[in-house]
Amino acid sequence: MDSSNLSPAVLADIAPAGAHAPKASSISSGYSLDKKSADIYLHRVSTSDLVEPDPVEETRVTEFLLRRKAKVDPDAIATKRSVFDDPVLAKHYWPKDTYENRHRFDPDARWTYREEQAIVRKIDWRVMFWAAISFSALNLDRNNLGAANSDNLLGDLGLSTDDFNWGNSIFRLAFLCAELPSQMVSKRLGPDRWIPTQMCAWSVVTICQFWLSGRTSFFVTRALLGFIQGGFIPDLILYLSYFYTKYELPYRLSLFWMSSNLCSIIASFIAFGVLHMRGVQGKAGWRWLFLVEGIITLVIGITTFFQMPPSPTQTKAWFRPNGWFTEREETIVVSRVLRDDPTKVGAKLCMFEDFVVIALFSQGDMHNREGLTLKRLWTAIWDYDLWPIYILGLMFGIPTGPPATYLTLSLRNLGFDTFHTNLLTIPSSVLGIISMFGITFISERVNDRSFVAMAQDLWGLPFIVAIYCLPVHPNQWLFFGLTTALLAYPYTHPIQVAWCSRNAGAVASRTVNASLYNMFVQASSVIYSQIYRTDDAPRYRRGNRVLIAISVVNITILYPGTKLYYIWRNKQRAKIWDAMTREQQSEYLTTTKDVGNRRLDFKFAH
């Protein structure tokens, strides 16, 4: 048998007693264990020298409050044990030959906490920072309609507020319909190509809004923007998953959505300046706003082609000859991500004392240029255990949606001028950054999803009631204060995106599950865009009664019901699992064809 492909650690294991074996290095360069060579193993390998994986058990609130941060030696080994430490089963989960990072994956790689932290910081600056800028470009073009409304866009085009509602509905419907097709294109072309292409395309449409002429052109550009931008968010999250572990990503997603609020603040200042151009060449200020913001995002989109490498091992290019990472750093980035989540190459781990027993449920995962199959799509759609989260995605944003959409129109109706209206949108964005960060941090530390995600509706309900009770002609500053407090709600969408991903289990379907969840969120926008109607203006008392009723349903039924459902499902599986002997459990883990959250040992987060 040819042993040229075996690592030093492997050679040490198979060497005859007393024979000399090469000493294992901290990282083996060009390591490549093929499945044929892996067949030599007939025993499990102890992994007691590795760090235990992060615990998956529920963390009590009291433990969070009393916890003290443990001191870690920065030069200690940070490598966590995984399926790839079991030479008997590792061959089943080995990256396929087409996997673009395969040449840098090394199961014998060891790295320290100091090295890992330095690499994560580099990824934050190189990858996450530009992802936030790209997301800001989306929000700049997606949310500029509010600023345009403050400059009499509806009046200039001869539109009513009902036409405005239909424009929003058309945008959201097109956005929703593009979610899954965009995911399939992204998996075929690669998000590094598809994301900047989307950005450039929607920027051109935004620029074209400079020439809007009436109702038809307004609806057409709304539809085009929605269809091009649909799928952008799941595409970008998929790209981030190439670099981050599942425990690092939720916190980064909170930063991801906080950048949206920061973008809103910057957009308000841009609108304040550009809208002063009303009358230049005889054009309205809102026309110049679309033109300027479209040019800004087009520049960002073109730059993104050069700022988004296909993968951690493909960062070198003619304009970046040295790349972002050294060979050692590439090995660490790839190995730590696959170790953290073996399902990215088709595995799910279960710990038994000092050994790893892993169950086979697929023969390798997709590479970054491989499209989604209809079978994977169908499996993801009919995963009924995720339907409760989809329902929450449909309902949770409705109570706060109409007040946010109509903020600039309401402030103008109360007597604020164009320029003060745009500046008055800033406080709620600033407060929203703080509340979003706080709620995401609390959710991860107490390991709760259901009750923490309910915070958005709990926050909003009393303010919606207070706005409903205002007189027909309220004090403009009192209305501004209540609306600002309402829109400072802790945005729980990042929590629920991560919740959906975690409860999906199988990575091959997570991108589809994320898209499905986001489709329900977009459907929510379609619903709430029709709640405030022209015949209910200007106080929208009927609409606010609807918002109050939906808030109560969310708080008292949907969120508690979802938590109880997942508790029941976990108990149902635990009853079967705990009744099995250790040998039966091992046999099940080795032979089962159940995948992701279909497996008996899978626990739903709630």
Side-chain angles (χ1 to χ4, degrees):
M1 174 175 49
D2 181 11
S3 62
S4 59
N5 282 332
L6 300 183
S7 71
V10 172
L11 291 171
D13 273 331
I14 64 174
H20 176 73
K23 183 178 180 181
S25 58
S26 61
I27 235 176
S28 51
S29 177
Y31 173 69
S32 177
L33 174 64
D34 58 38
K35 293 181 180 181
K36 182 178 179 181
S37 299
D39 285 337
I40 61 174
Y41 290 108
L42 297 174
H43 63 280
R44 292 181 296 177
V45 176
S46 173
T47 57
S48 59
D49 61 323
L50 298 174
V51 178
E52 291 287 345
D54 294 315
V56 297
E57 292 81 8
E58 292 288 327
T59 303
R60 305 290 183 183
V61 176
T62 52
E63 291 176 354
F64 160 63
L65 295 174
L66 299 176
R67 183 182 297 167
R68 298 292 184 268
K69 187 175 180 179
K71 293 183 178 180
V72 178
D73 180 2
D75 295 316
I77 295 297
T79 312
K80 294 182 174 64
R81 67 173 68 194
S82 81
V83 59
F84 300 108
D85 301 309
D86 188 329
V88 176
L89 298 174
K91 61 182 180 180
H92 299 297
Y93 314 100
W94 211 255
K96 58 174 63 176
D97 293 340
T98 53
Y99 176 52
E100 65 279 357
N101 300 315
R102 185 179 184 273
H103 64 293
R104 288 286 182 255
F105 176 58
D106 183 353
D108 288 337
R110 299 292 183 267
W111 56 87
T112 66
Y113 287 101
R114 190 191 304 276
E115 288 178 301
E116 186 171 50
Q117 291 167 3
I119 289 174
V120 171
R121 283 194 298 269
K122 182 179 287 191
I123 294 172
D124 286 340
W125 280 109
R126 299 284 190 177
V127 178
M128 185 65 211
F129 179 71
W130 196 259
I133 292 177
S134 301
F135 186 53
S136 296
L138 170 74
N139 288 296
L140 193 64
D141 284 353
R142 183 171 59 165
N143 300 328
N144 54 17
L145 199 56
N149 274 335
S150 70
D151 193 48
N152 199 39
L153 175 142
L154 298 183
D156 290 347
L157 295 178
L159 305 178
S160 67
T161 53
D162 285 350
D163 292 327
F164 173 66
N165 290 344
W166 279 113
N168 284 325
S169 295
I170 290 171
F171 172 84
R172 297 297 182 179
L173 281 171
F175 200 101
L176 184 155
C177 293
E179 286 278 359
L180 287 178
S182 179
Q183 281 285 281
M184 300 183 80
V185 173
S186 180
K187 281 302 299 175
R188 176 62 65 183
L189 295 181
D192 57 294
R193 295 173 179 171
W194 181 235
I195 288 173
T197 299
Q198 288 175 289
M199 296 173 67
C200 292
W202 83 55
S203 298
V204 171
V205 176
T206 299
I207 291 172
C208 289
Q209 291 179 111
F210 179 87
W211 293 279
L212 287 178
S213 58
R215 190 168 183 262
T216 300
S217 59
F218 175 69
F219 286 167
V220 169
T221 53
R222 288 288 97 192
L224 287 174
L225 282 172
F227 190 78
I228 296 170
Q229 293 177 352
F232 175 84
I233 295 174
D235 294 340
L236 199 51
I237 293 175
L238 170 64
Y239 180 74
L240 292 175
S241 71
Y242 295 166
F243 297 87
Y244 290 107
T245 68
K246 62 178 177 286
Y247 293 99
E248 294 165 347
L249 195 54
Y251 171 71
R252 269 73 185 179
L253 290 181
S254 70
L255 298 178
F256 189 67
W257 266 278
M258 277 192 290
S259 70
S260 173
N261 289 50
L262 184 61
C263 173
S264 298
I265 296 171
I266 296 173
S268 296
F269 284 112
I270 293 175
F272 177 81
V274 174
L275 292 178
H276 277 88
M277 295 177 67
R278 172 171 276 271
V280 175
Q281 296 186 1
K283 303 296 184 181
W286 58 264
R287 295 185 186 274
W288 292 110
L289 181 66
F290 286 137
L291 181 64
V292 170
E293 292 190 348
I295 292 173
I296 291 173
T297 55
L298 180 59
V299 171
I300 295 174
I302 294 172
T303 306
T304 302
F305 277 106
F306 303 94
Q307 291 292 326
M308 188 171 281
S311 74
T313 63
Q314 296 171 299
T315 60
K316 291 183 180 180
W318 63 266
F319 53 87
R320 194 169 47 233
N322 296 324
W324 287 347
F325 307 109
T326 65
E327 289 187 5
R328 175 174 175 80
E329 288 174 333
E330 288 179 355
T331 302
I332 294 174
V333 172
V334 173
S335 299
R336 68 190 290 273
V337 168
L338 293 186
R339 276 183 168 276
D340 167 75
D341 195 346
T343 60
K344 290 181 179 176
V345 288
K348 176 70 178 179
L349 88 165
C350 176
M351 303 304 301
F352 283 138
E353 297 177 355
D354 291 335
F355 301 97
V356 184
V357 177
I358 314 295
L360 172 65
F361 65 80
S362 73
Q363 293 294 332
D365 198 26
M366 300 175 289
H367 58 81
N368 66 357
R369 295 284 190 265
E370 183 176 346
L372 293 170
T373 64
L374 290 177
K375 181 179 180 181
R376 279 173 170 155
L377 179 61
W378 185 256
T379 300
I381 290 174
W382 287 102
D383 187 353
Y384 56 83
D385 282 316
L386 292 178
W387 291 359
I389 300 179
Y390 297 157
I391 294 174
L392 293 179
L394 179 69
M395 299 295 290
F396 86 105
I398 292 178
T400 56
T405 302
Y406 271 71
L407 178 60
T408 54
L409 286 174
S410 297
L411 294 178
R412 284 303 309 274
N413 290 336
L414 288 172
F416 292 105
D417 62 28
T418 298
F419 310 111
H420 286 105
T421 293
N422 281 284
L423 293 179
L424 289 175
T425 63
I426 294 176
S428 59
S429 296
V430 174
L431 295 173
I433 291 175
I434 299 172
S435 64
M436 188 192 307
F437 178 83
I439 201 67
T440 305
F441 174 78
I442 291 172
S443 173
E444 288 303 310
R445 293 308 298 260
V446 304
N447 202 14
D448 183 88
R449 304 296 177 272
S450 308
F451 291 145
V452 175
M454 189 169 63
Q456 179 169 329
D457 289 311
L458 276 173
W459 178 291
L461 180 58
F463 294 110
I464 297 173
V465 172
I467 292 172
Y468 173 78
C469 294
L470 289 176
V472 176
H473 302 288
N475 177 278
Q476 61 180 1
W477 288 106
L478 177 60
F479 179 87
F480 164 73
L482 289 174
T483 306
T484 297
L486 167 63
L487 299 182
Y489 59 82
Y491 189 44
T492 57
H493 180 56
I495 296 173
Q496 295 185 173
V497 169
W499 188 11
C500 179
S501 177
R502 185 171 295 188
N503 279 0
V507 168
S509 62
R510 283 180 191 173
T511 55
V512 181
N513 294 128
S515 292
L516 289 172
Y517 168 78
N518 210 44
M519 288 173 67
F520 276 86
V521 174
Q522 299 309 319
S524 171
S525 303
V526 175
I527 294 171
Y528 72 60
S529 65
Q530 298 294 331
I531 291 179
Y532 281 4
R533 305 290 297 173
T534 300
D535 62 351
D536 195 27
R539 297 297 303 115
Y540 304 108
R541 295 179 66 84
R542 182 185 66 225
N544 285 328
R545 285 197 298 270
V546 173
L547 300 183
I548 292 170
I550 292 175
S551 292
V552 172
V553 170
N554 291 348
I555 293 169
T556 61
I557 298 176
L558 294 186
Y559 279 103
T562 299
K563 188 174 188 71
L564 291 174
Y565 173 78
Y566 284 132
I567 291 175
W568 172 73
R569 288 289 282 148
N570 286 342
K571 288 182 177 179
Q572 187 183 48
R573 292 184 176 185
K575 184 177 181 180
I576 301 173
W577 180 256
D578 293 343
M580 299 168 68
T581 65
R582 287 171 58 87
E583 291 74 18
Q584 289 173 328
Q585 290 175 349
S586 178
E587 176 67 17
Y588 169 81
L589 292 172
T590 306
T591 61
T592 184
K593 294 183 179 180
D594 295 335
V595 300
N597 60 20
R598 300 292 93 192
R599 292 160 49 82
L600 290 176
D601 61 324
F602 183 90
K603 289 186 178 180
F604 291 101
H606 54 78

